[in-house]
Amino acid sequence: MSDIGLPLKSHRARRPRRGLGCLALLVLLAVLAGGLYWGATTGIEAVRDRFSDPEDYPGPGHGSVLVEVKEGDNATDIGQVLVDEGVVASLEAFTDAARTNPDSTGIQVGFYEVQKEMPAADALDVLVDPDNLIQTAVTIPEGLRLEQIVEILAKQTDFSAKQFDRVLDRPDAIGLPAYAKGNAEGYLFPATYAFGPNDKPVDMLSQMVARWQQAADDADLEGAAEKLGYTPHELMTIASLVESEANRDQDRGKVARVIYNRLETDATNGLLQIDATVNYALGRDLGLGLTEEDLQVDSPYNTRVNPGLPPGPIEAPGDAAIEAAAHPTEGDWVYYVTVDLDTGETKFTDDYDEFLKFKNVELAEYCDSSDRC
């Protein structure tokens, strides 16, 4: 036995197992063939989608659908709403129509009545025409009291005065500022509003308060109040007095200054002596011919007998009156009187005797044109 170790085992070269190799090759060929088929068919479909017309309804449409275009919506957003509501057949049909119509970029926010299964181009034609907006237009003039505003809202909408009053009993729901102390008098801004078909009283009143907030911000109401030494609510009260007293925009700043001068000097012993506040206390519209008994009405709103400002606004002031209260014209006037009822011409003075002369002229002309003297 050799000492170099055990003899090595003899072995033969192994032949490869051809059965398994053939199977792998067949599988590989099948995968490749499937991939080529999938790629080819997918490419064909992509080309077909690229160059064929998108699905669209032939029209003319039927029924009625109310759709809303919201702030910030683009053509894709609007098209998806139309698809979801069954108005157009495909998003692509609508966006293609929008691309070829330059007016599509000017679609206004709001509600539109369209039909089901419309051609996309026809649906777009409805949306680009602002005359098709569904809305209720309500105009609130300057100088109305809260109850008068509610009457207009009830008359021109589908809701009752009681429904609006119930919302007004929840001032937080409409965004009234804390300094309004829960009273919306003076804070429902006079303007023309376009209410949508889904708007409820709370939505309408909220829009009016939001529009007031815009006017207050434009006039820097809070900053002006701090500068003048009053509260924002007091400035709103002054704005309402300006609205009731000034007939012309150019006089509003002067009327505001007269009010401040009367409050801050002893010229009238702190009495504003504004007849509009007496009428408010009496619950009636502004007018001439207040009796001595009227002037003595027991109310904190009667500025004939109570010095200082009334508890709050007496009517709804507009932009110009709020601006005047926040930024009164500089001057030392204490008195004013309208000397021409037709033009609204108003004279201002710091001299009582001159005021009486102006007043006598106004009274004489008034008596000449009426039978009330």
Side-chain angles (χ1 to χ4, degrees):
M1 185 176 224
S2 172
D3 59 358
I4 60 175
L6 296 175
L8 294 175
K9 293 183 180 179
S10 64
H11 59 277
R12 298 176 182 175
R14 295 181 180 178
R15 295 179 181 178
R17 298 181 181 179
R18 294 181 179 178
L20 182 59
C22 291
L23 178 60
L25 179 60
L26 290 174
V27 170
L28 177 60
L29 290 174
V31 169
L32 289 173
L36 289 172
Y37 175 79
W38 179 85
T41 55
T42 300
I44 292 171
E45 289 296 327
V47 171
R48 183 181 300 163
D49 290 343
R50 181 82 174 94
F51 294 102
S52 64
D53 292 332
E55 183 182 1
D56 199 6
Y57 291 126
H62 61 88
S64 176
V65 182
L66 196 65
V67 296
E68 181 183 8
V69 175
K70 297 181 179 180
E71 190 72 39
D73 279 357
N74 57 29
T76 301
D77 300 322
I78 298 170
Q80 190 59 57
V81 171
L82 296 176
V83 170
D84 293 343
E85 295 293 339
V87 176
V88 300
S90 67
L91 176 60
E92 293 77 11
F94 182 80
T95 54
D96 284 353
R99 270 194 294 270
T100 60
N101 188 333
D103 293 335
S104 64
T105 59
I107 297 176
Q108 296 184 23
V109 172
F111 289 84
Y112 298 83
E113 185 177 8
V114 290
Q115 294 179 299
K116 283 187 174 293
E117 300 185 357
M118 296 180 71
D122 290 355
L124 182 63
D125 286 341
V126 174
L127 300 179
V128 298
D129 187 350
D131 289 341
N132 292 324
L133 268 172
I134 297 176
Q135 55 192 10
T136 300
V138 178
T139 298
I140 306 297
E142 291 90 347
L144 295 188
R145 296 193 304 270
L146 182 61
E147 61 183 272
Q148 295 171 315
I149 293 174
V150 169
E151 288 175 5
I152 291 176
L153 291 171
K155 183 177 181 180
Q156 298 189 26
T157 69
D158 295 330
F159 302 97
S160 68
K162 287 184 178 180
Q163 288 174 294
F164 285 102
D165 287 337
R166 281 198 291 269
V167 175
L168 291 171
D169 288 337
R170 298 183 289 115
D172 290 344
I174 60 174
L176 277 181
Y179 52 76
K181 301 176 182 177
N183 188 348
E185 186 75 83
Y187 293 91
L188 299 184
F189 193 80
T192 295
Y193 295 90
F195 298 128
N198 290 343
D199 283 340
K200 303 294 188 294
V202 65
D203 304 309
M204 299 177 189
L205 296 174
S206 295
Q207 289 181 46
M208 299 178 75
V209 174
R211 178 60 183 84
W212 162 80
Q213 185 65 62
Q214 178 186 332
D217 291 342
D218 289 344
D220 188 22
L221 183 73
E222 295 189 8
E226 184 177 1
K227 182 178 179 180
L228 292 167
Y230 293 82
T231 68
H233 184 64
E234 288 173 330
L235 257 64
M236 282 302 299
T237 302
I238 293 170
S240 74
L241 300 179
V242 171
E243 188 67 64
S244 71
E245 293 291 289
N247 298 304
R248 304 181 302 174
D249 282 346
Q250 62 261 43
D251 294 331
R252 296 186 192 279
K254 292 182 177 181
V255 171
R257 175 54 64 189
V258 169
I259 293 172
Y260 285 115
N261 287 344
R262 289 188 180 186
L263 291 171
E264 297 167 6
T265 69
D266 59 0
T268 58
N269 297 317
L271 292 171
L272 295 181
Q273 299 176 326
I274 294 177
D275 288 349
T277 65
V278 179
N279 279 299
Y280 185 83
L282 294 169
R284 67 189 194 190
D285 292 337
L286 176 66
L288 297 173
L290 288 170
T291 67
E292 284 300 321
E293 183 180 359
D294 292 336
L295 297 176
Q296 299 301 315
V297 61
D298 183 15
S299 168
Y301 284 90
N302 183 357
T303 60
R304 283 280 190 162
V305 297
N306 298 307
L309 288 168
I314 62 172
E315 59 186 49
D319 284 300
I322 296 174
E323 175 67 23
H327 304 96
T329 306
E330 289 299 324
D332 54 4
W333 313 287
V334 182
Y335 309 100
Y336 60 87
V337 61
T338 301
V339 297
D340 190 323
L341 296 178
D342 292 328
T343 65
E345 181 185 359
T346 301
K347 298 287 189 180
F348 295 83
T349 181
D350 63 341
D351 183 86
Y352 184 68
D353 291 334
E354 187 175 32
F355 162 71
L356 289 179
K357 291 178 183 179
F358 293 151
K359 189 174 179 64
N360 289 335
V361 170
E362 184 272 333
L363 182 60
E365 292 182 353
Y366 172 73
C367 291
D368 288 343
S369 62
S370 72
D371 57 359
R372 296 181 64 182
C373 297

